[in-house]
Amino acid sequence: TTRIFSGIKPTGHLTLGNYLGALRQWVTVDQHRADALFCVVDLHALTVDHDPARVRRLSRQVATLFLAAGLDPALCTLFVQSHVDEHTRLSYVLECTASDGEMRRMIQYKEKAAKERATGGSVRLSLLTYPVLMAADILAYGADEVPVGDDQAQHVELTRDLAVRFNQRYGHTFTVPKAVLPAVAARVMDLQDPTSKMGKSHADTSGIVYLLDEPDVARRKVMRAVTDSGSEVVHDREAQPGIANLLEILAACTGDDGGPAELAARYSSYGALKKDTAEAVVETLRPIRERHAQLCADPGYVDEVLRAGAERARGLARPTVDAAYEAIGLLPAR
Ligand code: TYM
């Protein structure tokens, strides 16, 4: 069977981008068709300035939202990265496979490092090695597919390179994975700045819809979305990024098979498009918010799901990581 691995880092409240770019596929398709593991990648949240209590709180919140969005522990494995030692064990070995130059070429590293330096901060070494830990997350489980949004495609490419290189040098050890992007909404843009990605750690939140936003808050954010200077509704990311973004959000939320281009033909005004998009977003988020509130009343249940998930994950990752240790020349412990 196909093995799937993906994760979300607890660096902020989850956004509509995380849902449409990743979580929605996991829930509606991936958990039903493959042996899927979904991970709260908490170690990755330590690569930038962080508040320990907040990371802990958000880790629980992300796990709760996995369940609230519809991931079913009877169908897939849900766990927290730091609960399974194999991730960091394998990461070191992969650091011995990767070069510093290829790390410095990663777009997200360049952007985040530049941002840290611009605000006078220092860049944590773990920010540079972040993609290696991500590769370890994926390769430890022999994942065939990695369902992610567009911004993670480069990291999955790097993971492939590392897997191929390791296999060539030390003998076949790793499955070479591939990224799987959603057909629409692989890159949901900020509603106030449709040329930049909707991101959970952005400071200005007016263009970001959070999964736990109240209906009227989410509705208002969509209704106030920046649109473009034309008046015709067409799906053109270059010429009309604001409208294209709304069309993609609408198509993804309604599961409209025709997609954004066909949807565009049905609208003659921006106002009507915004109104329908706002309602579609509100209806998409409603059941998630409701289930999240119910699950918050039962933290013991979430803990138990994560405990069982980590146990299964450990059992899967252990043999692969042991094999990598042996292949690279380490003396097995007896
Ligand atoms: P993270 O936590 O930033 O985002 C989680 C997932 O949401 C997707 N995503 C988006 N998709 C569409 N539009 C957006 N605006 C948007 N914002 C985020 C991301 O592409 C991602 O799929 N490095 C990863 C976490 C990670 C991981 C892994 C993923 C660590 N190890 C192993 C897959 C496999 C990250 O920072 O995602």
Side-chain angles (χ1 to χ4, degrees), residues 5-9 15 17-18 20-22 26 41 44 108 130 134 137-138 146-152 155 185-189 197-200:
F5 182 95
S6 199
I8 298 186
K9 61 183 187 307
T15 72
N18 297 128
L20 297 180
W26 307 353
V41 286
H44 288 277
Q108 287 211 337
Y130 179 126
M134 176 162 165
D137 299 339
I138 297 165
V146 186
V148 285
D150 172 78
D151 63 322
Q152 295 302 318
H155 291 157
R187 192 178 193 86
V188 177
M189 308 306 268
K197 187 187 75 171
M198 185 183 283
K200 58 172 124 64

